Amino acid sequence: MTGLTVLLPPSETKREGGDTGSTLNLGALTFPELTRERAAVIAAARSVSSEESTARTALRLGPRSIAERFRNLVLDTSPTMPAIERYTGVLYDPLDATAAGDRTRAWWSRHVVVQSAMFGPIGAGDLIPAYRLSHDARLGPLRLASHWPTASATALANRSAGLVLDLRSEGYRALGPVAGAVAPRVVSVDGAGRRKALNHWNKTAKGRLVSLLGRTAPTVTSMDDLAVWAAENGVVLEAVDGGWDLVAESLVPLPD
């Protein structure tokens, strides 16, 4: 991956179903050098998911979500769909990936990487089944916090030449640190110019940014390039105090 690489977190919520004629192929995922690490996590997740009592604690499942443990028991035989379609929720819904055109999907496939707790970094177009695992899951002796960082960081460093725009949450950023990545703050700016970092609208703004990137398919190799593209598309992306601020109001209609 060259030029621009956009790093996204996964989502706890996932779309069910997929192509019943296609099952998980670890070697076909982006970064195939992570196949051994992926297989180890899958085995550990399957082990803790085999009993309701262990799954409840390990995967942090409540009464309404306990059935999601079964996803981890059938990963090898479940239908798959592209990662960019599998994930749903506040960040992914603005992408409207299932309705996206071929040009948009091709841009996402070339430039977007999702940091999955189960599979490590994967491409947006990689075919994956539904699963249940988050960055803070407890998989017995296997600790995601020590299992993923070195392997993920090495894979990302070897394949992501150019600008890396890191839109991951802190927990997922720790699973695959990238030196030199740019992680913009999502802020709101009031009439007096005061800036406030946002939490609730953070993911929505990021989702709309990635949606717009895919639908305009720019060629970007630096933050200056990205800032020019943003200005041309009505997005406010500004260099502030040695970092970058993404102004949410330029992407999301915030309530008064």
Side-chain angles (χ1 to χ4, degrees):
M1 296 183 180
T2 60
L4 171 64
T5 298
V6 181
L7 301 180
L8 293 181
S11 172
E12 185 173 289
T13 57
K14 299 170 184 69
R15 185 172 285 108
E16 297 287 351
D19 181 357
T20 56
S22 171
T23 54
L24 179 63
N25 180 350
L26 293 182
L29 300 180
T30 304
F31 311 112
E33 63 269 33
L34 296 176
T35 296
R36 181 178 297 179
E37 286 79 6
R38 289 163 171 158
V41 175
I42 289 172
R46 181 181 292 119
S47 177
V48 300
S49 301
S50 61
E51 298 291 340
E52 182 174 319
S53 57
T54 55
R56 185 181 298 111
T57 300
L59 306 180
R60 303 180 188 277
L61 299 175
R64 293 184 178 181
S65 57
I66 189 62
E68 292 183 18
R69 72 183 179 92
F70 293 111
R71 294 175 176 176
N72 297 343
L73 302 179
V74 292
L75 290 173
D76 294 337
T77 57
S78 294
T80 64
M81 68 174 66
I84 202 73
E85 295 181 24
R86 176 67 71 191
Y87 298 111
T88 64
V90 178
L91 190 153
Y92 285 89
D93 289 350
L95 273 64
D96 195 16
T98 58
D102 291 343
R103 179 169 175 261
T104 297
R105 296 167 68 87
W107 193 94
W108 286 335
S109 292
R110 289 194 303 272
H111 297 280
V112 174
V113 171
V114 180
Q115 184 76 45
S116 163
M118 184 74 77
F119 306 115
I122 54 176
D126 285 355
L127 300 175
I128 60 170
Y131 65 92
R132 177 60 189 247
L133 193 67
S134 59
H135 69 88
D136 57 355
R138 303 169 181 174
L139 300 182
L142 189 150
R143 296 183 64 252
L144 296 176
S146 57
H147 181 81
W148 278 127
T150 299
S152 293
T154 300
L156 289 167
N158 288 341
R159 298 283 286 276
S160 301
L163 172 63
V164 178
L165 188 68
D166 196 343
L167 303 182
R168 297 174 296 178
S169 53
E170 184 176 349
Y172 285 99
R173 195 174 297 158
L175 295 187
V178 178
V182 178
R185 293 194 313 162
V186 179
V187 302
S188 177
V189 181
D190 66 19
R194 292 185 294 262
R195 294 170 183 258
K196 177 182 179 182
L198 293 180
N199 183 20
H200 180 72
W201 296 103
N202 183 303
K203 292 182 179 180
T204 300
K206 290 177 178 178
R208 292 193 176 182
L209 176 68
V210 177
S211 176
L212 185 59
L213 281 166
R215 285 167 171 80
T216 56
T219 299
V220 172
T221 60
S222 68
M223 281 304 295
D224 288 338
D225 287 346
L226 189 61
V228 169
W229 167 86
E232 292 173 347
N233 287 274
V235 177
V236 180
L237 182 65
E238 301 173 325
V240 178
D241 298 331
W244 289 85
D245 281 356
L246 177 64
V247 178
E249 287 90 341
S250 65
L251 288 157
V252 181
L254 301 182
D256 294 332

